[in-house]
Amino acid sequence: MRKKNIFLSFFVLLGCLINTVSAQSPTTPAATAVKFVQGDVTSIGGGKIVLQTKDGSIDVELSEKTEFKRVLPENPSLKTAVGASLAELGVGDKLIVTGNLSADKRSIPAKAVYLMRQSDIAQKQNKERAEWQTRGITGRVAAVNPQTKEVTVSQRGIAGEKQTVVALKENANFRRYAEGSVDYNEAKTSSFDEIKVGDSIRALGDKSEDGATVKAERIVTGAFQTVGGAITAIDAAKGEITITNFQTKKPMTIVVGKNSVLKQFPAEMAQRMMQLQTGGAPGQGAVRPPQAAPPVAPGQNPNRMGQGGGMRGGAAGNIDDMLDRFKDISIADLKVGDMIAVSSTKNADAERVNAIKLLSGVEPFIKAQQQQPAGRPRGGQDSGFSIPGLEGSGFP
């Protein structure tokens, strides 16, 4: 799960490099126009590199004139690329190759090979995670102040809820997940004005000593939701699950993709946590509002972060780390009648969503939510209902 959830996509970095290469490449006639291919190395030998691209396998033909350059993930630019050699390449490394692509698009005589090594990418990922653990927060937007350009972020943990005020550094960077998309590569450049109450938010910046404020340099937002209900049909071949949404009473299709995270909520833990939320035994009525988080001890980090790309976390309980430890499941482990909950981005199609995270074993939470009085969404938000592990951020 954690490897999937890195903040900075290295295909985005490679895309930046393509733009740089394009800008510096001379214009040539259409018949001999320089082409670019990118992908992952699957084999090396016999004077060629086999590259797996989004369009299939391509043979990268090498010669003594082929130039090799190593690009560092921290700064994917031709100006900072350093000299490299074929010996530095390994299976799994990411490449951009320039040359004249063959007519059948099966081979390309390489003029230049720009590589990002797996070890460099892993080092960058670890650095990102460490930074977000210490300088990042994740939660839900509780209030937006257009006059002061500040956002109040609610962070819910196992032990309660806390609020953090996020202010902006000069030239702060904003990104927002596209409607209906769970792919950060498709996130759009955004602005403060697009942040809405109820959004999920991640902010990276300088925290005050008491953790009550953050001066942010990076902000990522998205309109996420949590839906749930009983499974009525499963199409494993298509990766689709049909449920009856317990809130709308209508059918909904859940699309499970290769990056979707599927977990089993332990039955005993689900029962205990539901009782903590309701303040008593199962069936005692509406979900109780969260209690205030306990005071932070001197020297204690009030926003202990999870991994998962270094950008998640929850107040007083680290729910995301808890979720990481749950049992991994697949569609094959589910059956008709099971109750599941899913986090997804909001979109215009209320009958079909793409799953970011899917939890089975959530029947106690759904039953407790069903007992809430009609028309009283929890916390006054319309973002769905509350499931520990799904409500913290919604982010992939």
Side-chain angles (χ1 to χ4, degrees):
M1 176 176 173
R2 290 177 177 175
K3 290 182 179 179
K4 294 178 183 177
N5 295 337
I6 56 174
F7 170 75
L8 188 56
S9 167
F10 291 95
F11 282 109
V12 172
L13 293 179
L14 288 174
C16 294
L17 181 60
I18 286 178
N19 292 334
T20 306
V21 173
S22 300
Q24 298 192 11
S25 297
T27 303
T28 56
T32 59
V34 175
K35 301 291 184 180
F36 307 95
V37 295
Q38 66 172 335
D40 297 341
V41 176
T42 58
S43 68
I44 305 170
K48 69 177 182 180
I49 301 168
V50 180
L51 199 65
Q52 185 63 41
T53 74
K54 63 181 181 63
D55 298 319
S57 181
I58 292 179
D59 289 342
V60 178
E61 300 171 352
L62 306 176
S63 71
E64 59 182 16
K65 295 183 179 180
T66 300
E67 183 180 18
F68 293 87
K69 291 283 188 179
R70 177 183 165 201
V71 180
L72 301 178
E74 290 81 1
N75 192 355
S77 167
L78 289 181
K79 294 180 180 179
T80 58
V82 297
S85 66
L86 177 62
E88 295 183 51
L89 268 69
V91 173
D93 287 346
K94 300 185 183 299
L95 305 184
I96 289 178
V97 179
T98 67
N100 300 326
L101 192 63
S102 63
D104 61 4
K105 298 183 179 180
R106 299 294 300 274
S107 64
I108 181 170
K111 294 184 178 180
V113 174
Y114 299 91
L115 68 130
M116 266 189 196
R117 299 191 307 185
Q118 279 188 311
S119 58
D120 292 335
I121 292 175
Q123 184 177 8
K124 176 65 175 178
Q125 290 176 358
N126 291 336
K127 183 178 179 181
E128 287 271 326
R129 290 188 183 109
E131 186 176 24
W132 279 94
Q133 284 174 11
T134 56
R135 303 183 64 235
I137 66 166
T138 299
R140 192 170 297 279
V141 176
V144 179
N145 190 326
Q147 285 72 41
T148 61
K149 297 293 185 182
E150 292 178 339
V151 179
T152 301
V153 178
S154 173
Q155 297 172 274
R156 190 183 301 279
I158 297 173
E161 184 175 6
K162 72 183 292 291
Q163 291 191 334
T164 303
V165 176
V166 176
L168 305 179
K169 288 186 178 181
E170 188 177 357
N171 299 322
N173 178 271
F174 293 86
R175 301 281 290 179
R176 186 173 180 86
Y177 275 77
E179 180 181 301
S181 172
V182 298
D183 188 350
Y184 181 76
N185 295 348
E186 298 174 356
K188 308 296 184 182
T189 300
S190 185
S191 66
F192 180 89
D193 294 337
E194 291 193 71
I195 301 175
K196 308 298 181 185
V197 171
D199 282 350
S200 290
I201 184 170
R202 290 170 171 165
L204 178 71
D206 301 328
K207 298 178 183 179
S208 62
E209 289 187 8
D210 60 2
T213 61
V214 174
K215 194 78 168 177
E217 62 214 38
R218 281 193 216 170
I219 292 178
V220 185
T221 59
F224 296 95
Q225 62 183 339
T226 300
V227 297
I231 296 176
T232 58
I234 300 174
D235 190 332
K238 292 183 178 179
E240 295 182 354
I241 301 169
T242 304
I243 67 171
T244 298
N245 186 326
F246 86 90
Q247 293 171 300
T248 66
K249 313 302 182 185
K250 296 179 179 180
M252 172 178 278
T253 299
I254 310 297
V255 180
V256 178
K258 63 179 181 179
N259 292 323
S260 300
V261 176
L262 281 67
K263 293 282 186 175
Q264 170 73 43
F265 210 115
E268 185 178 347
M269 179 182 292
Q271 194 68 29
R272 289 201 312 266
M273 294 185 71
M274 184 278 296
Q275 291 180 27
L276 286 174
Q277 287 186 340
T278 59
Q284 283 194 329
V287 175
R288 182 180 63 181
Q291 303 302 305
V296 178
Q300 179 182 355
N301 184 351
N303 297 302
R304 179 171 169 260
M305 293 293 126
Q307 296 287 326
M311 299 203 348
R312 299 175 304 166
N318 210 354
I319 288 178
D320 289 302
D321 270 358
M322 176 191 74
L323 183 64
D324 278 348
R325 292 190 292 270
F326 288 173
K327 177 184 176 182
D328 291 312
I329 60 172
S330 66
I331 290 183
D333 296 308
L334 302 173
K335 63 183 184 296
V336 172
D338 287 349
M339 284 194 175
I340 62 173
V342 177
S343 65
S344 72
T345 51
K346 293 182 179 180
N347 56 49
D349 188 352
E351 299 179 354
R352 187 179 182 88
V353 297
N354 296 315
I356 298 173
K357 301 172 189 173
L358 181 153
L359 285 179
S360 65
V362 296
E363 184 172 352
F365 299 107
I366 291 180
K367 286 187 174 180
Q369 294 285 339
Q370 287 175 320
Q371 295 177 32
Q372 291 190 84
R376 287 181 56 188
R378 185 180 183 188
Q381 298 178 6
D382 62 355
S383 57
F385 64 101
S386 171
I387 295 283
L390 296 184
E391 67 169 4
S393 68
F395 286 101

